Amino acid sequence: MFINETITNNKKTSIIPFITCGFPKRKNFIDLLFALEKSGSTLIEIGIPNSDPLAEGLTIQYSSNIAIKNGVNTHECIKTVRQARKKGLKIPIVLMGYYNNILAYDMNKFCKEAKESGVNGLIVADLPINESKPLVNILNQYSIDFIPLLSINSSKEIIKKATKLATGFIYCVSVLGVTGERNIVFDRVKDLVEQVKKHTNVPVAVGFGISTKSDITNIIKFADAAVVGSALINKLKDTKNDKIIEVASNFISELF
Amino acid sequence: MNNIRPGDKKLNMEKPDKNGRFGKYGGRFVPETLTSSLEEIELEFNKILKDKTFWEELTNLQNDFIGRPTPLYYAKNLSFQISQNLWIKREDLAHTGAHKINNAIGQALLAKRIGKKRIIAETGAGQHGVATATACAMLNLECIVYMGSEDIKRQAPNIYRMEMLGAKVIPVTSGSKTLKDAVNEAIRDWVTNVETTYYIIGSAVGPHPYPYIVREFQSIIGTESRKQILDKTDSLPDYVIACVGGGSNAIGIFSGFIDDETVSLIGVEASGKGLNTDKHAATLTKGSPGVLHGSMSYVLQDEYGQILEAHSISAGLDYPGVGPEHSYLKDIERAKYYAATDDVALKGFKLLSVTEGIIPALEPAHALGFLIDWCKEIPKNQNILFLLSGRGDKDMEIVSKKMESN
Ligand SMILES: Cc1ncc(COP(=O)(O)O)c(C=O)c1O
């Protein structure tokens, strides 16, 4: 209920930054998480880097590659959350990954360790609703929220199924396509969110391609939260080490 | 070709189950955005399976456009040399020079039925790209082909062919710049343009129902081979041997013999610089079950599930995954899988050229090179059916360079 309530009870705009674990640097990544918390984010989505991220555009492909080169793996992601929690990070944390990394780690071991380290929810980019049952069963066992992705072309049946399974929030993908900054027309995702809301009270977030304050103002008219990934990563991509925290904080603050 | 002779059994290869699985392999592990399209493709494919007009149209094109049935050739010289009876199924003589055209034409017709006019494809060796570009030219469809920039370098003649046929070739520079990365990029295009675009996958891989679709369109190889070898020898072969990249040519010929318990099915992957190095593409021999490109199957991966780069001299076998049905056939031990190095493939390449006057593609040259050594360990005078999946024109440059330097 932690994620659901945090978004539902939030009086300001709910912004969810996405950042690949260990990007741009492994060393000050936990400081970066604290900076994202402090600048007013409602929840942080941390990406588990994957060698072949099918749902990502160039930006997150890039951050994923850098993270892998920096030595980040599934174990490291869980460990990072544990360390951040120890240091006092309070904000809800959702891991976002690809199914094979979770399978290779062992689904049960993954969920158990994620729970123990303080992870609150999980998104799997290449696990559609109809394949999600084995994982959802284990997530439920460990009370980790399952956050399904829905697409603007999802059928009524899939939408219904997703709303039955979702606990933390439902992630509506704004466009057909991969992640990455772009100009977005929100008509179709608005329809999707309205459909979803007919079936559930679980909050709904919109993501993919969101980069500006005006995007977020638009989204908040019909949804509960906005996810910002590529835009943040692009900002950090060429930032010098000692400026990372400052640039990230400013970027998030200016979205409100 | 439709007469079933006395003694012939009706072919009955297993369909994937309702969840798109062969045993535990297969499935549909792709972004949710593709779900509705995959369901549409599955629905339409199940419809055409029973639609006589579709198969009439396809059969006509198989006969008059592809040039089917392709011959079954008794390789007299090589048979003598290895003391076996070597029969070669000549997919190198299919239009465009490889088996890939069987699948490309079938899927292009399917795309038309679904009403999609923009076609995308990935290609490794360029053979599937050429086949798809050919099908699209003939059926008046737009064609975009993703190809790793490394493969563009080593299979240059096929780029000219694709472009001549009106296709647009998009170089892929991510990852290992080979087949795996071309598939990644094709899937990203598909997710983006799913409402207008049909993805013609080139091998028996990908999310359900692709492995099943590709098998059904390639099963013509098995159906013809079985009939032909019965006609010529009055018996079934003892061994059927094919190379395995994603596994489409192999599953095509295996499907003809799957119920014939006396027939041993053998797939040969590429072991590059050797199974004991990290430069190989022997997914079934050295990999473990995982998810790549939408299905559960054997994959080459590290302990954290990151996909490893494959290596092979042959662009068509240079892939860290394999079709889910091969994974299943391996586990139930219906088929056996081996691997052949770059050097073994080069040996096979040269040998078939000089003994039989047939220059093979590097992909099937792996299976041939393997079989030359391996057949010393089996009794003499066995009937061996070898699938020559394609011709070697595309490989002349790389092979002659290699031979100079060796
Ligand atoms: C001639 C030839 N044979 C075999 C292959 C390998 O693919 P598959 O294993 O799907 O038959 C290719 C792929 O490009 C090819 O061009």
Side-chain angles (χ1 to χ4, degrees), chain A residues 48-53 64-65 67-69 71-74 77 98 100-102 104-105, chain B residues 180 288 291-292 299-309 320:
Chain A
I48 303 170
N50 174 265
S51 55
D52 298 84
S64 199
N65 282 336
I68 290 172
K69 283 197 189 114
V72 178
N73 54 40
T74 318
C77 295
Y98 284 79
N100 198 47
N101 298 122
I102 294 165
Y105 202 78
Chain B
K180 165 183 79 101
S288 54
V291 166
L292 173 65
V299 294
L300 296 177
Q301 58 184 333
D302 71 11
E303 61 175 315
Y304 290 105
Q306 309 296 20
I307 303 303
L308 299 171
E309 287 184 9

Side-chain angles (χ1 to χ4, degrees), chain A residues 153-172:
Chain A
N153 65 359
S154 291
S155 67
K156 285 205 167 73
E157 194 196 332
I158 291 289
I159 293 175
K160 240 196 211 153
K161 279 191 197 168
T163 55
K164 287 221 176 81
L165 296 176
T167 44
F169 66 91
I170 292 173
Y171 192 138
C172 289

Side-chain angles (χ1 to χ4, degrees), chain B residues 97-100 123-129 155 158 179 202-205 214 218 243-251 314-318 322 326 360-364 387-391 394-395:
Chain B
H99 69 292
K100 298 281 181 190
T123 195
Q127 288 302 133
H128 175 60
Q155 309 277 230
N158 278 341
L179 182 54
S203 191
V205 300
V214 175
Q218 292 294 3
C243 67
V244 177
S248 68
N249 82 89
I251 207 71
S314 117
L317 304 185
D318 196 352
V322 66
H326 286 293
L362 269 173
E363 290 79 11
L387 172 50
L388 180 58
S389 55
R391 67 178 189 229
K394 69 184 177 62
D395 297 314

Side-chain angles (χ1 to χ4, degrees), chain B residues 36-253:
Chain B
S36 52
S37 190
L38 286 165
E39 281 173 354
E40 181 184 38
I41 293 169
E42 184 180 7
L43 195 77
E44 201 62 35
F45 184 65
N46 284 329
K47 253 193 245 163
I48 62 155
L49 278 177
K50 291 177 224 129
D51 181 347
K52 252 175 59 196
T53 61
F54 181 90
W55 293 97
E56 267 167 27
E57 188 179 2
L58 182 61
T59 304
N60 283 337
L61 289 173
Q62 284 172 338
N63 294 344
D64 301 342
F65 188 72
I66 300 179
R68 305 209 70 90
T70 56
L72 182 72
Y73 170 69
Y74 182 68
K76 193 160 83 332
N77 301 331
L78 198 49
S79 291
F80 178 75
Q81 196 170 319
I82 63 175
S83 307
Q84 303 288 358
N85 301 316
L86 183 65
W87 294 88
I88 303 183
K89 177 62 173 169
R90 299 288 309 272
E91 289 301 294
D92 62 316
L93 294 177
H95 180 39
T96 68
H99 69 292
K100 298 281 181 190
I101 191 80
N102 303 325
N103 169 51
I105 298 267
Q107 285 201 57
L109 288 178
L110 176 60
K112 277 209 131 167
R113 290 269 169 133
I114 295 174
K116 300 275 164 79
K117 301 219 161 56
R118 180 177 181 270
I119 301 293
I120 56 171
E122 86 296 337
T123 195
Q127 288 302 133
H128 175 60
V130 168
T132 304
T134 299
C136 289
M138 192 255 299
L139 296 168
N140 192 21
L141 299 161
E142 183 188 354
C143 180
I144 291 119
V145 180
Y146 290 91
M147 186 166 185
S149 58
E150 201 51 44
D151 292 339
I152 289 181
K153 264 192 258 165
R154 57 177 162 170
Q155 309 277 230
N158 278 341
I159 298 26
Y160 302 129
R161 295 169 78 197
M162 286 184 265
E163 284 173 351
M164 180 59 65
L165 291 158
K168 187 170 165 203
V169 181
I170 302 184
V172 176
T173 54
S174 55
S176 50
K177 307 177 175 62
T178 56
L179 182 54
K180 165 183 79 101
D181 311 284
V183 178
N184 287 346
E185 225 36 65
I187 293 178
R188 290 185 185 118
D189 177 316
W190 189 24
V191 173
T192 308
N193 299 297
V194 62
E195 290 177 332
T196 59
T197 298
Y198 182 94
Y199 178 20
I200 301 190
I201 288 188
S203 191
V205 300
H208 176 66
Y210 278 106
Y212 176 42
I213 292 177
V214 175
R215 179 189 90 195
E216 292 303 294
F217 287 138
Q218 292 294 3
S219 68
I220 185 76
I221 305 173
T223 309
E224 284 178 8
S225 301
R226 189 172 193 280
K227 173 83 165 57
Q228 287 168 319
I229 201 151
L230 282 171
D231 280 345
K232 293 191 187 213
T233 69
D234 243 343
S235 62
L236 289 166
D238 299 299
Y239 298 94
V240 173
I241 300 191
C243 67
V244 177
S248 68
N249 82 89
I251 207 71
I253 196 159

